[in-house]
Structure formats: structure tokens, C-alpha cells
Amino acid sequence: MPTIAIVGAGAGLGQSIARTFGSNGFSVALVSRTQSKLDALAAELGQAGIDAAGFAADVMDRPSLVDAFARIKQRFGAVDVLEYSPAPHTPVPGITTASPLDVTVENVQPQLDYYLYGGITAAQQVLPDMLGRGSGTLLFTTGGASVDPTPAPPEFANIAIAGAALRAWVLKLHQVTDGTGVYAAHVPLSVWIGTGGPETQPDTIAQHYWDLYTKREGAEHHYNTF
């Protein structure tokens, strides 16, 4: 049975992606900071007949992320799909927003830890195995400001910087993995999830990820409802 690891799993989009892949025969490894919340999400998936388990880790604490993937491999075996989408819906220690005039090295660095360095660390845990067997998918999610920062509020400037950095790395990763059997793509989301019609709902957006997994076309797929 193939396995998807969802880093940044939560009750919204992450759980919808888990259900979408799980209902198509995947085991699901859920990664976020709080084990009790992960256990509740895994139990909900289990009630739907999906094999799921949670592995607590903080993307800003890279050793904990490495350890989580070691536990995932022990529980499920090799990871076939990595979906990286941390989103600070609740306050994250050390994370603040800043407008362009207020951006400093000190308030950009945690955003880079959260998005870029966390994404690279997660990929490093699965990419060697994927390249070795010639198959695998890596999907990295950011906000739409990583592609076009102008519609975002000014105070998202440091987030946009970090998201753009992750985007640049993923696009280069797509270049070098093209033809290897490994598919890497960037998924910027220009949507306030759950705030409008069906196109904003997590289950609808999750289908976008399944389509990317099955079609494996292109380095970037912007989901835009604005």
C-alpha cells in the first residue's frame, strides 16, 4: 500500500488531502506539532477505513522532523508522496509577520526556517529513496504571495519572501528530477480556505492535489479563486 506523508496536517486542507488519498488506497502519515490533535485526526480517518497515524514534529526543529520521518518509515515503509503545507493557523513561537518597511533579518529568518528549511529537510528524508527506486511525488504548498505578492496584505512581506524562496527551490528541483520518475511541483494557493463557495472548500482543493499526483504535469499549479 502506498503512503502519503502530510507535513502541516490539520483539520482543514490537510485532513481533506488525507481523506482523498486515503480513499484511493494510500496509508496516511500525519505530521504537525501536537500529538493529541494528530491522534484525533488519525482516529477520524480510521473510522473511514483509512490506515493513518500521527507523528509529532516541529518544522522549525529540524532534528524532530528527521526523527518523525524515521518513525514514519518504521511504521509504513517508504513514503510515496510528500505533501508539505505548514500553515500557522494558531500562533507559532518565534513567527511574526512584517510589512516591507518592518522586515528585518530577525523576522525573516523564522519564516525561512518554517517554509524553506523545513521543506528542504522533509524532502531530504524521502528524496534519496524516491530517486533510488525511480518513483515518487513531492508537492510543496505556499500562499499565492510566493508567486505574486501584490494582492496579499503588506504585513505578509516576510511570509512572501520565504514562500518565494521555497518556490524557487521546488522549481529547480522539478528541473533536475524530470525524467527520473520523481515528480516535484509547487502548489501556490490564492484562496481563503473555507470562506466562500465550493471552490474554497478543503475537499474541493484536495482534489487538485490528487489531480497533480495522477497527471504529473508541470512544475507549478496555481490554485486561484481571487
Side-chain angles (χ1 to χ4, degrees):
M1 181 178 291
T3 296
I4 181 171
I6 300 172
V7 180
L13 179 59
Q15 190 73 336
S16 290
I17 293 172
R19 282 195 301 269
T20 297
F21 278 78
S23 64
N24 282 282
F26 275 74
S27 297
V28 178
L30 303 166
V31 181
S32 67
R33 290 183 297 155
T34 307
Q35 188 64 49
S36 60
K37 292 180 180 179
L38 291 172
D39 291 342
L41 295 174
E44 179 183 314
L45 293 169
Q47 292 174 357
I50 297 168
D51 185 15
F55 304 85
D58 184 343
V59 297
M60 297 178 71
D61 176 4
R62 291 189 284 280
S64 78
L65 193 55
V66 172
D67 178 70
F69 274 92
R71 289 182 282 127
I72 290 170
K73 190 170 186 177
Q74 185 176 32
R75 169 68 169 78
F76 290 116
V79 170
D80 300 275
V81 178
L82 169 66
E83 195 280 312
Y84 185 82
S85 56
H89 296 300
T90 57
V92 176
I95 289 279
T96 60
T97 59
S99 70
L101 294 177
D102 296 322
V103 164
T104 64
V105 170
E106 288 73 23
N107 60 40
V108 169
Q109 185 62 57
Q111 297 287 357
L112 290 170
D113 286 336
Y114 195 75
Y115 290 102
L116 178 63
Y117 302 152
I120 291 172
T121 300
Q124 286 175 329
Q125 309 317 303
V126 300
L127 189 53
D129 283 346
M130 289 181 177
L131 290 170
R133 65 177 183 266
S135 66
T137 299
L138 305 101
L139 303 174
F140 298 86
T141 303
T142 66
S146 64
V147 176
D148 180 6
T150 52
E155 62 269 21
F156 285 10
N158 57 346
I159 301 173
I161 291 167
L166 178 59
R167 174 185 185 247
W169 177 71
V170 175
L171 296 184
K172 299 307 292 183
L173 181 63
H174 176 87
Q175 282 185 322
V176 299
T177 57
D178 188 31
T180 67
V182 176
Y183 175 62
H186 176 232
V187 190
L189 301 180
S190 292
V191 56
W192 295 113
I193 297 174
T195 61
E199 72 281 0
T200 74
Q201 299 306 310
D203 287 349
T204 302
I205 302 169
Q207 186 61 45
H208 181 61
Y209 288 80
W210 181 253
D211 291 344
L212 295 181
Y213 167 72
T214 56
K215 295 177 182 178
R216 300 169 64 86
E217 296 174 351
E220 183 169 68
H221 295 269
H222 190 181
Y223 190 90
N224 190 354
T225 64
F226 294 162

